Amino acid sequence: NAGVTQTPKFQVLKTGQSMTLQCAQDMNHEYMSWYRQDPGMGLRLIHYSVGAGITDQGEVPNGYNVSRSTTEDFPLRLLSAAPSQTSVYFCASSTGRNQPQHFGDGTRLSIL
Amino acid sequence: GDSVTQMEGPVTLSEEAFLTINCTYTATGYPSLFWYVQYPGEGLQLLLKATKADDKGSNKGFEATYRKETTSFHLEKGSVQVSDSAVYFCALSDQAGNMLTFGGGTRLMVKP
């Protein structure tokens, strides 16, 4: 059972480039979400999804897009990378509201 | 909006010492409360949770009690081990259960 799988683990981009961070889960969880982790700030929610075809914004959505075409996958797109988006990104999934979230191992992203 | 405040680290203890990491929160209604742990290079893992006032969550020797009167959810362990060295995050789930709000994290270092 792989759980939540994130790819890539590391990425370096130049300002203005676009890219997609992949997230897949094999637990048939309805809820999926993306967080960014910055030093001293804990994790902040970027976007979340309560099921296939349904997404919503979290606390810090600007500069990011998401889609949820299947239950398993929840990719995060950076449209035009900026140095302020340098962070560690975590994808998580859960069975439902107020249930514990299962996290991937993270993607460390650097924007030059 | 909802918020979580944790004591700043790092917290450095000797093996077998008593651990307390303070956590207080601000939220409307009756949130669920969580402690997550992050080991180096890994994603977050659920440590324990409590869903209503006076509930006590416990796991691996760690405990935390949901205190609504003081809006607190302090993490305690009677005797820490070197293997407990990690970053600990307090979090709450909003009333709809769609979003987690995290504290800034507390790094624990346990020395032999």
Side-chain angles (χ1 to χ4, degrees):
Chain A
N1 188 349
V4 178
T5 302
Q6 291 185 236
T7 55
K9 293 190 183 301
F10 303 94
Q11 184 70 47
V12 178
L13 294 177
K14 294 181 180 179
T15 298
Q17 287 185 314
S18 62
M19 82 159 292
T20 299
L21 279 62
Q22 301 292 343
C23 175
Q25 53 92 7
D26 60 0
M27 298 173 283
N28 201 33
H29 287 171
E30 291 294 327
Y31 283 67
M32 296 187 74
S33 51
W34 277 102
Y35 295 85
R36 59 178 290 173
Q37 182 179 28
D38 300 296
M41 299 184 73
L43 278 74
R44 292 181 292 168
L45 181 67
I46 304 171
H47 286 285
Y48 67 95
S49 169
V50 300
I54 306 169
T55 63
D56 206 345
Q57 296 181 350
E59 181 184 358
V60 289
N62 293 338
Y64 307 94
N65 273 358
V66 292
S67 59
R68 185 94 181 272
S69 57
T70 66
T71 299
E72 294 78 19
D73 299 303
F74 191 44
L76 178 72
R77 296 181 186 85
L78 279 70
L79 309 173
S80 177
S84 61
Q85 293 178 305
T86 293
S87 188
V88 181
Y89 291 84
F90 288 98
C91 179
S93 71
S94 66
T95 57
R97 293 175 177 176
N98 287 320
Q99 296 305 308
Q101 300 209 24
H102 298 257
F103 284 83
D105 287 340
T107 294
R108 185 174 296 274
L109 182 63
S110 295
I111 316 294
L112 305 177
Chain B
D2 297 345
S3 66
V4 177
T5 302
Q6 290 180 236
M7 61 188 292
E8 290 191 17
V11 174
T12 303
L13 296 173
S14 298
E15 206 164 23
E16 299 184 1
F18 185 85
L19 169 71
T20 299
I21 299 178
N22 291 336
C23 171
T24 58
Y25 68 89
T26 302
T28 55
Y30 300 92
S32 293
L33 301 175
F34 305 86
W35 276 101
Y36 283 83
V37 58
Q38 184 180 31
Y39 298 102
E42 299 183 8
L44 280 68
Q45 305 173 24
L46 178 69
L47 183 58
L48 52 85
K49 72 170 186 175
T51 58
K52 61 182 186 295
D54 299 324
D55 266 2
K56 177 184 283 188
S58 61
N59 185 26
K60 299 180 182 179
F62 291 89
E63 293 183 342
T65 301
Y66 190 145
R67 302 287 188 198
K68 188 156 182 66
E69 65 276 14
T70 55
T71 61
S72 65
F73 193 54
H74 304 323
L75 182 69
E76 296 181 336
K77 187 175 185 182
S79 177
V80 294
Q81 306 300 312
V82 173
S83 57
D84 293 327
S85 298
V87 181
Y88 292 82
F89 292 91
C90 185
L92 67 82
S93 178
D94 71 334
Q95 209 162 1
N98 292 329
M99 296 197 291
L100 276 178
T101 299
F102 285 86
T106 302
R107 182 175 298 278
L108 170 66
M109 301 172 59
V110 181
K111 298 185 175 181

